[in-house]
Amino acid sequence: MRKNQQLASDIVLAVLSGESLSDQFSPLWRAYPALGASDRGTIQDLSYGTLRRLGELQAYAAFMTRKPIADDRVKALLWVSLYQLLHTRNAPHAVVNEAVNAAQETGRPWAKPLVNALLRRFLREQTGLKSRISWTEEALYSYPSWWIERLKRDHPQDYAPILAEGNRHPPMTLRVNRRKQTQESYLEKLSELGMAATPVGEAGLVLGQPVPVERLPGFGEGWVSVQDYGAQLVPALLQPKDGMRICDACSAPGGKTAHLLETAAVHMTALDVSAQRLERVRGTLDRLGLDASLKAADAENISAWWDGEPYDSVLLDAPCSASGVVRRHPDSKWLRRDQDIAQYARHQHRLLDALWRVVKPCGKLLYVTCSLFKAENEDVIAPFCERTRDARLAPSAFPLDTAGRWMPSAHNDGFFYALLHKG
């Protein structure tokens, strides 16, 4: 447990210094090849969980210390240990003992007695401490204050449940490749292996318990993919038909590209500004037995990639704050800044203006974000429709609300969809 606490603390510090959480694990596994699957899973859980609940953990730590802890590594170790005591089933005294030993190994003579005293006090006084802490909104919700204020303005009736949902563990949802399996047949295969699942939509299955993808029957053969249910609306809205030309303008990692190809035999162009990320799209398509024309290019610069023949449909899964999928990427709420949202919106405006030019008359453009901030959603689409005479916004479809939003829930992350018809 001690090594897991130490490594999770290092990851939390790396994220708070500006690094992406998802980039931390592969280098760590290479550096510590002896770590087994169980330890790797524990380190991931501690890292993700601590970042989800960081505001709360910082509040407890700050209340119990007379003056701020100057050493970042000791602070992070304390946060990770408090997360274990508050939100896991680890034996409390084992958590404390291992954290104390880990503190000793930091080389700070004062760290061991401090961590020991703070964690043992927490065990003795947990109930009383909860009532005595001055709960700021950042501590209460475990989000930065600017994020909370944006959601309050955008969703005054729903901001609290949205924030709470973003701190929960996300479900593991599958998308059945209907070229190889039916939803019903794959559900039977899961049942035979003792894996409970609930059907959602036309191709989705929400697992009762997450499992490594290697345990999923036929995963390597392309029978199924992992994709949140909220991201599975694209074919239902675009209605692809055999022979259509479709462009996925920001395609990596390839889930929506593949879903369209699973639904119909379309001629697909998959773009991404990053050649490295585009390799993930190729890997996804190869595993599923699908094919597309992959181009590493900036979608804004259409002269660099467009052959001049208009598309029946364009999918713009626009770069955004990812505020709707924060439970999967808890680092985003600590890495983003309020001013970043305006930068995303400017980029989204430019992408819409550029890609509208490649949509054929009577064609469609589907604008998608995994954001819940209006500045990236309604406030992008409404001005676009005002300045673009041949753009018509289609009515929202079930399960979207009237604005095109799909709020996060136990079964799905948060998304925004806007279907634009040309002409």
Side-chain angles (χ1 to χ4, degrees), residues 13-61:
L13 283 183
V15 168
L16 296 182
S17 70
E19 298 183 28
S20 168
L21 177 59
S22 60
D23 291 341
Q24 301 306 306
F25 298 105
S26 293
L28 187 65
W29 307 155
R30 290 195 295 270
Y32 295 91
L35 287 172
S38 177
D39 286 327
R40 293 184 180 192
T42 298
I43 293 166
Q44 287 180 312
D45 177 71
L46 294 180
S47 303
Y48 275 84
T50 300
L51 289 165
R52 286 193 187 105
R53 301 286 182 171
L54 186 60
E56 172 195 28
L57 305 173
Q58 289 175 327
Y60 275 110

mmCIF file of all heavy atoms in Angstrom, residues 13-61:
data_model
loop_
_atom_site.group_PDB
_atom_site.id
_atom_site.type_symbol
_atom_site.label_atom_id
_atom_site.label_comp_id
_atom_site.label_asym_id
_atom_site.label_seq_id
_atom_site.Cartn_x
_atom_site.Cartn_y
_atom_site.Cartn_z
ATOM 1 N N LEU A 13 0.614 15.397 -7.861
ATOM 2 C CA LEU A 13 1.483 16.576 -7.955
ATOM 3 C C LEU A 13 1.800 16.917 -9.398
ATOM 4 O O LEU A 13 1.830 18.097 -9.775
ATOM 5 C CB LEU A 13 2.786 16.330 -7.194
ATOM 6 C CG LEU A 13 2.728 16.443 -5.676
ATOM 7 C CD1 LEU A 13 4.111 16.236 -5.082
ATOM 8 C CD2 LEU A 13 2.169 17.787 -5.254
ATOM 9 N N ALA A 14 2.035 15.900 -10.234
ATOM 10 C CA ALA A 14 2.327 16.158 -11.647
ATOM 11 C C ALA A 14 1.151 16.852 -12.317
ATOM 12 O O ALA A 14 1.323 17.790 -13.106
ATOM 13 C CB ALA A 14 2.660 14.847 -12.356
ATOM 14 N N VAL A 15 -0.064 16.397 -12.007
ATOM 15 C CA VAL A 15 -1.256 17.020 -12.594
ATOM 16 C C VAL A 15 -1.385 18.468 -12.136
ATOM 17 O O VAL A 15 -1.633 19.375 -12.949
ATOM 18 C CB VAL A 15 -2.522 16.212 -12.231
ATOM 19 C CG1 VAL A 15 -3.786 16.995 -12.578
ATOM 20 C CG2 VAL A 15 -2.516 14.871 -12.957
ATOM 21 N N LEU A 16 -1.197 18.714 -10.854
ATOM 22 C CA LEU A 16 -1.349 20.077 -10.345
ATOM 23 C C LEU A 16 -0.239 21.006 -10.834
ATOM 24 O O LEU A 16 -0.377 22.232 -10.759
ATOM 25 C CB LEU A 16 -1.382 20.058 -8.817
ATOM 26 C CG LEU A 16 -2.587 19.321 -8.207
ATOM 27 C CD1 LEU A 16 -2.548 19.391 -6.684
ATOM 28 C CD2 LEU A 16 -3.906 19.891 -8.730
ATOM 29 N N SER A 17 0.827 20.425 -11.371
ATOM 30 C CA SER A 17 1.876 21.250 -11.975
ATOM 31 C C SER A 17 1.617 21.492 -13.454
ATOM 32 O O SER A 17 2.404 22.170 -14.119
ATOM 33 C CB SER A 17 3.243 20.591 -11.794
ATOM 34 O OG SER A 17 3.356 19.424 -12.606
ATOM 35 N N GLY A 18 0.509 20.929 -13.987
ATOM 36 C CA GLY A 18 0.115 21.223 -15.358
ATOM 37 C C GLY A 18 0.114 20.056 -16.313
ATOM 38 O O GLY A 18 -0.180 20.233 -17.499
ATOM 39 N N GLU A 19 0.431 18.847 -15.847
ATOM 40 C CA GLU A 19 0.497 17.694 -16.736
ATOM 41 C C GLU A 19 -0.839 16.958 -16.789
ATOM 42 O O GLU A 19 -1.629 16.989 -15.846
ATOM 43 C CB GLU A 19 1.610 16.744 -16.280
ATOM 44 C CG GLU A 19 2.993 17.371 -16.309
ATOM 45 C CD GLU A 19 4.080 16.383 -15.925
ATOM 46 O OE1 GLU A 19 3.879 15.162 -16.162
ATOM 47 O OE2 GLU A 19 5.114 16.804 -15.383
ATOM 48 N N SER A 20 -1.072 16.274 -17.907
ATOM 49 C CA SER A 20 -2.319 15.525 -18.100
ATOM 50 C C SER A 20 -2.297 14.240 -17.286
ATOM 51 O O SER A 20 -1.283 13.519 -17.250
ATOM 52 C CB SER A 20 -2.501 15.191 -19.584
ATOM 53 O OG SER A 20 -3.540 14.253 -19.775
ATOM 54 N N LEU A 21 -3.416 13.925 -16.664
ATOM 55 C CA LEU A 21 -3.513 12.701 -15.862
ATOM 56 C C LEU A 21 -3.325 11.462 -16.719
ATOM 57 O O LEU A 21 -2.618 10.525 -16.331
ATOM 58 C CB LEU A 21 -4.868 12.668 -15.148
ATOM 59 C CG LEU A 21 -5.198 11.429 -14.316
ATOM 60 C CD1 LEU A 21 -4.163 11.211 -13.225
ATOM 61 C CD2 LEU A 21 -6.589 11.557 -13.699
ATOM 62 N N SER A 22 -3.945 11.421 -17.884
ATOM 63 C CA SER A 22 -3.887 10.222 -18.718
ATOM 64 C C SER A 22 -2.477 9.930 -19.220
ATOM 65 O O SER A 22 -2.175 8.795 -19.591
ATOM 66 C CB SER A 22 -4.849 10.355 -19.910
ATOM 67 O OG SER A 22 -4.495 11.470 -20.709
ATOM 68 N N ASP A 23 -1.619 10.946 -19.224
ATOM 69 C CA ASP A 23 -0.240 10.749 -19.704
ATOM 70 C C ASP A 23 0.680 10.180 -18.633
ATOM 71 O O ASP A 23 1.844 9.871 -18.927
ATOM 72 C CB ASP A 23 0.346 12.083 -20.191
ATOM 73 C CG ASP A 23 -0.314 12.589 -21.456
ATOM 74 O OD1 ASP A 23 -0.955 11.777 -22.149
ATOM 75 O OD2 ASP A 23 -0.204 13.799 -21.743
ATOM 76 N N GLN A 24 0.199 10.017 -17.415
ATOM 77 C CA GLN A 24 1.077 9.637 -16.312
ATOM 78 C C GLN A 24 1.313 8.137 -16.202
ATOM 79 O O GLN A 24 2.347 7.706 -15.709
ATOM 80 C CB GLN A 24 0.494 10.137 -14.972
ATOM 81 C CG GLN A 24 0.293 11.641 -14.907
ATOM 82 C CD GLN A 24 1.562 12.398 -15.225
ATOM 83 O OE1 GLN A 24 2.607 12.173 -14.614
ATOM 84 N NE2 GLN A 24 1.476 13.283 -16.210
ATOM 85 N N PHE A 25 0.364 7.333 -16.651
ATOM 86 C CA PHE A 25 0.400 5.927 -16.262
ATOM 87 C C PHE A 25 1.353 5.068 -17.096
ATOM 88 O O PHE A 25 2.096 4.270 -16.535
ATOM 89 C CB PHE A 25 -1.021 5.362 -16.283
ATOM 90 C CG PHE A 25 -1.921 6.061 -15.307
ATOM 91 C CD1 PHE A 25 -2.878 6.971 -15.738
ATOM 92 C CD2 PHE A 25 -1.771 5.857 -13.939
ATOM 93 C CE1 PHE A 25 -3.695 7.636 -14.833
ATOM 94 C CE2 PHE A 25 -2.572 6.520 -13.029
ATOM 95 C CZ PHE A 25 -3.532 7.418 -13.475
ATOM 96 N N SER A 26 1.362 5.220 -18.406
ATOM 97 C CA SER A 26 2.252 4.383 -19.223
ATOM 98 C C SER A 26 3.717 4.547 -18.835
ATOM 99 O O SER A 26 4.427 3.541 -18.652
ATOM 100 C CB SER A 26 2.040 4.694 -20.713
ATOM 101 O OG SER A 26 0.750 4.278 -21.119
ATOM 102 N N PRO A 27 4.223 5.774 -18.672
ATOM 103 C CA PRO A 27 5.623 5.907 -18.223
ATOM 104 C C PRO A 27 5.846 5.299 -16.841
ATOM 105 O O PRO A 27 6.919 4.739 -16.572
ATOM 106 C CB PRO A 27 5.847 7.425 -18.199
ATOM 107 C CG PRO A 27 4.814 7.997 -19.103
ATOM 108 C CD PRO A 27 3.627 7.094 -18.989
ATOM 109 N N LEU A 28 4.827 5.387 -15.973
ATOM 110 C CA LEU A 28 4.971 4.822 -14.634
ATOM 111 C C LEU A 28 5.070 3.307 -14.685
ATOM 112 O O LEU A 28 5.900 2.702 -13.987
ATOM 113 C CB LEU A 28 3.785 5.250 -13.765
ATOM 114 C CG LEU A 28 3.875 4.887 -12.282
ATOM 115 C CD1 LEU A 28 5.016 5.636 -11.616
ATOM 116 C CD2 LEU A 28 2.555 5.193 -11.579
ATOM 117 N N TRP A 29 4.230 2.676 -15.513
ATOM 118 C CA TRP A 29 4.283 1.211 -15.613
ATOM 119 C C TRP A 29 5.639 0.761 -16.173
ATOM 120 O O TRP A 29 6.172 -0.273 -15.756
ATOM 121 C CB TRP A 29 3.167 0.677 -16.490
ATOM 122 C CG TRP A 29 1.763 1.102 -16.178
ATOM 123 C CD1 TRP A 29 0.721 1.152 -17.056
ATOM 124 C CD2 TRP A 29 1.191 1.502 -14.907
ATOM 125 N NE1 TRP A 29 -0.432 1.575 -16.442
ATOM 126 C CE2 TRP A 29 -0.167 1.787 -15.113
ATOM 127 C CE3 TRP A 29 1.726 1.652 -13.626
ATOM 128 C CZ2 TRP A 29 -1.018 2.215 -14.102
ATOM 129 C CZ3 TRP A 29 0.888 2.094 -12.602
ATOM 130 C CH2 TRP A 29 -0.460 2.364 -12.833
ATOM 131 N N ARG A 30 6.200 1.549 -17.108
ATOM 132 C CA ARG A 30 7.525 1.188 -17.641
ATOM 133 C C ARG A 30 8.609 1.358 -16.574
ATOM 134 O O ARG A 30 9.552 0.580 -16.506
ATOM 135 C CB ARG A 30 7.856 2.053 -18.863
ATOM 136 C CG ARG A 30 7.017 1.736 -20.093
ATOM 137 C CD ARG A 30 7.614 2.353 -21.344
ATOM 138 N NE ARG A 30 7.589 3.820 -21.294
ATOM 139 C CZ ARG A 30 6.581 4.567 -21.735
ATOM 140 N NH1 ARG A 30 5.496 3.981 -22.252
ATOM 141 N NH2 ARG A 30 6.638 5.878 -21.679
ATOM 142 N N ALA A 31 8.451 2.368 -15.737
ATOM 143 C CA ALA A 31 9.455 2.621 -14.693
ATOM 144 C C ALA A 31 9.380 1.594 -13.571
ATOM 145 O O ALA A 31 10.389 1.323 -12.905
ATOM 146 C CB ALA A 31 9.278 4.026 -14.127
ATOM 147 N N TYR A 32 8.180 1.016 -13.353
ATOM 148 C CA TYR A 32 7.985 0.023 -12.292
ATOM 149 C C TYR A 32 7.345 -1.235 -12.878
ATOM 150 O O TYR A 32 6.167 -1.519 -12.650
ATOM 151 C CB TYR A 32 7.094 0.597 -11.179
ATOM 152 C CG TYR A 32 7.713 1.749 -10.437
ATOM 153 C CD1 TYR A 32 7.504 3.060 -10.849
ATOM 154 C CD2 TYR A 32 8.509 1.533 -9.317
ATOM 155 C CE1 TYR A 32 8.065 4.130 -10.162
ATOM 156 C CE2 TYR A 32 9.075 2.588 -8.625
ATOM 157 C CZ TYR A 32 8.859 3.892 -9.065
ATOM 158 O OH TYR A 32 9.423 4.933 -8.389
ATOM 159 N N PRO A 33 8.099 -1.997 -13.651
ATOM 160 C CA PRO A 33 7.516 -3.163 -14.333
ATOM 161 C C PRO A 33 7.025 -4.250 -13.387
ATOM 162 O O PRO A 33 6.220 -5.099 -13.787
ATOM 163 C CB PRO A 33 8.666 -3.676 -15.207
ATOM 164 C CG PRO A 33 9.917 -3.152 -14.548
ATOM 165 C CD PRO A 33 9.534 -1.840 -13.954
ATOM 166 N N ALA A 34 7.476 -4.241 -12.133
ATOM 167 C CA ALA A 34 7.055 -5.278 -11.189
ATOM 168 C C ALA A 34 5.652 -5.030 -10.637
ATOM 169 O O ALA A 34 5.087 -5.909 -9.979
ATOM 170 C CB ALA A 34 8.053 -5.374 -10.037
ATOM 171 N N LEU A 35 5.086 -3.867 -10.893
ATOM 172 C CA LEU A 35 3.740 -3.592 -10.395
ATOM 173 C C LEU A 35 2.734 -4.524 -11.059
ATOM 174 O O LEU A 35 2.663 -4.594 -12.289
ATOM 175 C CB LEU A 35 3.344 -2.133 -10.674
ATOM 176 C CG LEU A 35 4.001 -1.045 -9.822
ATOM 177 C CD1 LEU A 35 3.645 0.328 -10.373
ATOM 178 C CD2 LEU A 35 3.570 -1.174 -8.368
ATOM 179 N N GLY A 36 1.949 -5.223 -10.261
ATOM 180 C CA GLY A 36 0.939 -6.112 -10.806
ATOM 181 C C GLY A 36 -0.322 -5.364 -11.170
ATOM 182 O O GLY A 36 -0.467 -4.164 -10.915
ATOM 183 N N ALA A 37 -1.271 -6.091 -11.759
ATOM 184 C CA ALA A 37 -2.526 -5.474 -12.206
ATOM 185 C C ALA A 37 -3.279 -4.853 -11.041
ATOM 186 O O ALA A 37 -3.870 -3.771 -11.174
ATOM 187 C CB ALA A 37 -3.389 -6.515 -12.916
ATOM 188 N N SER A 38 -3.267 -5.520 -9.885
ATOM 189 C CA SER A 38 -3.984 -5.002 -8.728
ATOM 190 C C SER A 38 -3.386 -3.679 -8.252
ATOM 191 O O SER A 38 -4.119 -2.721 -7.959
ATOM 192 C CB SER A 38 -3.959 -6.020 -7.592
ATOM 193 O OG SER A 38 -4.586 -5.505 -6.441
ATOM 194 N N ASP A 39 -2.054 -3.612 -8.176
ATOM 195 C CA ASP A 39 -1.406 -2.373 -7.750
ATOM 196 C C ASP A 39 -1.652 -1.251 -8.764
ATOM 197 O O ASP A 39 -1.900 -0.097 -8.387
ATOM 198 C CB ASP A 39 0.098 -2.584 -7.581
ATOM 199 C CG ASP A 39 0.418 -3.387 -6.327
ATOM 200 O OD1 ASP A 39 -0.315 -3.255 -5.338
ATOM 201 O OD2 ASP A 39 1.392 -4.160 -6.346
ATOM 202 N N ARG A 40 -1.599 -1.578 -10.038
ATOM 203 C CA ARG A 40 -1.859 -0.557 -11.056
ATOM 204 C C ARG A 40 -3.276 -0.011 -10.919
ATOM 205 O O ARG A 40 -3.505 1.203 -11.005
ATOM 206 C CB ARG A 40 -1.648 -1.136 -12.454
ATOM 207 C CG ARG A 40 -0.204 -1.488 -12.772
ATOM 208 C CD ARG A 40 -0.060 -1.966 -14.203
ATOM 209 N NE ARG A 40 1.321 -2.315 -14.511
ATOM 210 C CZ ARG A 40 1.783 -2.543 -15.743
ATOM 211 N NH1 ARG A 40 0.953 -2.477 -16.773
ATOM 212 N NH2 ARG A 40 3.052 -2.843 -15.942
ATOM 213 N N GLY A 41 -4.215 -0.910 -10.716
ATOM 214 C CA GLY A 41 -5.592 -0.470 -10.534
ATOM 215 C C GLY A 41 -5.752 0.411 -9.312
ATOM 216 O O GLY A 41 -6.477 1.415 -9.343
ATOM 217 N N THR A 42 -5.069 0.054 -8.228
ATOM 218 C CA THR A 42 -5.148 0.850 -7.005
ATOM 219 C C THR A 42 -4.552 2.237 -7.215
ATOM 220 O O THR A 42 -5.119 3.248 -6.780
ATOM 221 C CB THR A 42 -4.422 0.143 -5.858
ATOM 222 O OG1 THR A 42 -5.061 -1.100 -5.593
ATOM 223 C CG2 THR A 42 -4.425 0.990 -4.604
ATOM 224 N N ILE A 43 -3.407 2.311 -7.883
ATOM 225 C CA ILE A 43 -2.772 3.603 -8.135
ATOM 226 C C ILE A 43 -3.669 4.496 -8.984
ATOM 227 O O ILE A 43 -3.830 5.696 -8.718
ATOM 228 C CB ILE A 43 -1.398 3.401 -8.810
ATOM 229 C CG1 ILE A 43 -0.436 2.725 -7.834
ATOM 230 C CG2 ILE A 43 -0.826 4.726 -9.306
ATOM 231 C CD1 ILE A 43 0.810 2.181 -8.479
ATOM 232 N N GLN A 44 -4.301 3.916 -9.996
ATOM 233 C CA GLN A 44 -5.219 4.694 -10.821
ATOM 234 C C GLN A 44 -6.407 5.185 -10.002
ATOM 235 O O GLN A 44 -6.803 6.356 -10.102
ATOM 236 C CB GLN A 44 -5.695 3.858 -12.008
ATOM 237 C CG GLN A 44 -4.615 3.660 -13.065
ATOM 238 C CD GLN A 44 -5.116 2.831 -14.227
ATOM 239 O OE1 GLN A 44 -5.715 1.779 -14.051
ATOM 240 N NE2 GLN A 44 -4.871 3.299 -15.440
ATOM 241 N N ASP A 45 -6.974 4.304 -9.193
ATOM 242 C CA ASP A 45 -8.124 4.697 -8.382
ATOM 243 C C ASP A 45 -7.752 5.808 -7.407
ATOM 244 O O ASP A 45 -8.512 6.779 -7.242
ATOM 245 C CB ASP A 45 -8.659 3.494 -7.607
ATOM 246 C CG ASP A 45 -9.811 3.873 -6.695
ATOM 247 O OD1 ASP A 45 -10.903 4.170 -7.216
ATOM 248 O OD2 ASP A 45 -9.630 3.903 -5.463
ATOM 249 N N LEU A 46 -6.619 5.696 -6.767
ATOM 250 C CA LEU A 46 -6.201 6.727 -5.820
ATOM 251 C C LEU A 46 -5.945 8.061 -6.522
ATOM 252 O O LEU A 46 -6.293 9.127 -6.002
ATOM 253 C CB LEU A 46 -4.949 6.289 -5.068
ATOM 254 C CG LEU A 46 -5.089 5.091 -4.125
ATOM 255 C CD1 LEU A 46 -3.755 4.784 -3.452
ATOM 256 C CD2 LEU A 46 -6.157 5.350 -3.074
ATOM 257 N N SER A 47 -5.346 8.007 -7.699
ATOM 258 C CA SER A 47 -5.040 9.237 -8.438
ATOM 259 C C SER A 47 -6.324 9.920 -8.904
ATOM 260 O O SER A 47 -6.525 11.122 -8.684
ATOM 261 C CB SER A 47 -4.141 8.921 -9.641
ATOM 262 O OG SER A 47 -2.961 8.269 -9.238
ATOM 263 N N TYR A 48 -7.185 9.144 -9.550
ATOM 264 C CA TYR A 48 -8.447 9.711 -10.045
ATOM 265 C C TYR A 48 -9.314 10.179 -8.881
ATOM 266 O O TYR A 48 -9.897 11.273 -8.923
ATOM 267 C CB TYR A 48 -9.206 8.667 -10.868
ATOM 268 C CG TYR A 48 -8.791 8.598 -12.310
ATOM 269 C CD1 TYR A 48 -7.690 7.839 -12.702
ATOM 270 C CD2 TYR A 48 -9.493 9.270 -13.294
ATOM 271 C CE1 TYR A 48 -7.298 7.771 -14.027
ATOM 272 C CE2 TYR A 48 -9.114 9.204 -14.627
ATOM 273 C CZ TYR A 48 -8.021 8.454 -14.993
ATOM 274 O OH TYR A 48 -7.639 8.395 -16.302
ATOM 275 N N GLY A 49 -9.430 9.351 -7.846
ATOM 276 C CA GLY A 49 -10.297 9.691 -6.729
ATOM 277 C C GLY A 49 -9.825 10.934 -5.985
ATOM 278 O O GLY A 49 -10.638 11.783 -5.603
ATOM 279 N N THR A 50 -8.531 11.039 -5.756
ATOM 280 C CA THR A 50 -8.005 12.209 -5.058
ATOM 281 C C THR A 50 -8.286 13.482 -5.840
ATOM 282 O O THR A 50 -8.668 14.513 -5.270
ATOM 283 C CB THR A 50 -6.498 12.047 -4.806
ATOM 284 O OG1 THR A 50 -6.277 10.884 -4.001
ATOM 285 C CG2 THR A 50 -5.922 13.266 -4.092
ATOM 286 N N LEU A 51 -8.137 13.429 -7.164
ATOM 287 C CA LEU A 51 -8.397 14.618 -7.974
ATOM 288 C C LEU A 51 -9.888 14.925 -8.054
ATOM 289 O O LEU A 51 -10.282 16.097 -8.117
ATOM 290 C CB LEU A 51 -7.802 14.434 -9.369
ATOM 291 C CG LEU A 51 -6.268 14.475 -9.405
ATOM 292 C CD1 LEU A 51 -5.733 13.939 -10.713
ATOM 293 C CD2 LEU A 51 -5.766 15.898 -9.154
ATOM 294 N N ARG A 52 -10.729 13.902 -8.040
ATOM 295 C CA ARG A 52 -12.168 14.166 -8.020
ATOM 296 C C ARG A 52 -12.566 14.899 -6.742
ATOM 297 O O ARG A 52 -13.437 15.767 -6.751
ATOM 298 C CB ARG A 52 -12.946 12.850 -8.120
ATOM 299 C CG ARG A 52 -12.959 12.196 -9.484
ATOM 300 C CD ARG A 52 -14.002 11.080 -9.553
ATOM 301 N NE ARG A 52 -13.877 10.348 -10.813
ATOM 302 C CZ ARG A 52 -13.336 9.137 -10.932
ATOM 303 N NH1 ARG A 52 -12.899 8.510 -9.856
ATOM 304 N NH2 ARG A 52 -13.252 8.549 -12.105
ATOM 305 N N ARG A 53 -11.981 14.534 -5.624
ATOM 306 C CA ARG A 53 -12.405 15.036 -4.315
ATOM 307 C C ARG A 53 -11.405 16.021 -3.712
ATOM 308 O O ARG A 53 -11.425 16.258 -2.501
ATOM 309 C CB ARG A 53 -12.568 13.847 -3.354
ATOM 310 C CG ARG A 53 -13.585 12.808 -3.813
ATOM 311 C CD ARG A 53 -14.995 13.320 -3.629
ATOM 312 N NE ARG A 53 -15.994 12.322 -4.009
ATOM 313 C CZ ARG A 53 -17.288 12.460 -3.789
ATOM 314 N NH1 ARG A 53 -17.742 13.552 -3.204
ATOM 315 N NH2 ARG A 53 -18.140 11.526 -4.164
ATOM 316 N N LEU A 54 -10.580 16.621 -4.548
ATOM 317 C CA LEU A 54 -9.458 17.396 -4.034
ATOM 318 C C LEU A 54 -9.896 18.571 -3.167
ATOM 319 O O LEU A 54 -9.283 18.849 -2.130
ATOM 320 C CB LEU A 54 -8.600 17.903 -5.200
ATOM 321 C CG LEU A 54 -7.308 18.617 -4.818
ATOM 322 C CD1 LEU A 54 -6.402 17.688 -4.018
ATOM 323 C CD2 LEU A 54 -6.579 19.110 -6.063
ATOM 324 N N GLY A 55 -10.944 19.288 -3.545
ATOM 325 C CA GLY A 55 -11.387 20.421 -2.743
ATOM 326 C C GLY A 55 -11.763 20.013 -1.334
ATOM 327 O O GLY A 55 -11.403 20.686 -0.346
ATOM 328 N N GLU A 56 -12.485 18.903 -1.216
ATOM 329 C CA GLU A 56 -12.869 18.372 0.092
ATOM 330 C C GLU A 56 -11.639 17.970 0.901
ATOM 331 O O GLU A 56 -11.521 18.296 2.100
ATOM 332 C CB GLU A 56 -13.789 17.176 -0.106
ATOM 333 C CG GLU A 56 -14.119 16.398 1.150
ATOM 334 C CD GLU A 56 -14.733 15.043 0.851
ATOM 335 O OE1 GLU A 56 -14.447 14.465 -0.228
ATOM 336 O OE2 GLU A 56 -15.490 14.557 1.711
ATOM 337 N N LEU A 57 -10.702 17.254 0.270
ATOM 338 C CA LEU A 57 -9.510 16.774 0.966
ATOM 339 C C LEU A 57 -8.642 17.926 1.435
ATOM 340 O O LEU A 57 -8.092 17.897 2.546
ATOM 341 C CB LEU A 57 -8.716 15.849 0.038
ATOM 342 C CG LEU A 57 -9.499 14.659 -0.543
ATOM 343 C CD1 LEU A 57 -8.651 13.919 -1.566
ATOM 344 C CD2 LEU A 57 -9.957 13.712 0.564
ATOM 345 N N GLN A 58 -8.521 18.950 0.609
ATOM 346 C CA GLN A 58 -7.742 20.121 0.998
ATOM 347 C C GLN A 58 -8.376 20.834 2.186
ATOM 348 O O GLN A 58 -7.667 21.361 3.050
ATOM 349 C CB GLN A 58 -7.617 21.078 -0.190
ATOM 350 C CG GLN A 58 -6.700 20.565 -1.293
ATOM 351 C CD GLN A 58 -6.698 21.477 -2.509
ATOM 352 O OE1 GLN A 58 -7.706 22.092 -2.842
ATOM 353 N NE2 GLN A 58 -5.563 21.562 -3.181
ATOM 354 N N ALA A 59 -9.707 20.840 2.232
ATOM 355 C CA ALA A 59 -10.393 21.500 3.347
ATOM 356 C C ALA A 59 -10.094 20.790 4.661
ATOM 357 O O ALA A 59 -9.814 21.446 5.680
ATOM 358 C CB ALA A 59 -11.896 21.529 3.080
ATOM 359 N N TYR A 60 -10.149 19.456 4.659
ATOM 360 C CA TYR A 60 -9.828 18.714 5.884
ATOM 361 C C TYR A 60 -8.375 18.953 6.302
ATOM 362 O O TYR A 60 -8.079 19.196 7.480
ATOM 363 C CB TYR A 60 -10.062 17.219 5.663
ATOM 364 C CG TYR A 60 -11.485 16.771 5.880
ATOM 365 C CD1 TYR A 60 -12.268 16.382 4.807
ATOM 366 C CD2 TYR A 60 -12.041 16.720 7.147
ATOM 367 C CE1 TYR A 60 -13.588 15.966 4.993
ATOM 368 C CE2 TYR A 60 -13.350 16.309 7.354
ATOM 369 C CZ TYR A 60 -14.122 15.929 6.272
ATOM 370 O OH TYR A 60 -15.419 15.524 6.459
ATOM 371 N N ALA A 61 -7.475 18.867 5.328
ATOM 372 C CA ALA A 61 -6.055 19.022 5.646
ATOM 373 C C ALA A 61 -5.767 20.422 6.194
ATOM 374 O O ALA A 61 -5.019 20.580 7.163
ATOM 375 C CB ALA A 61 -5.218 18.751 4.406
#
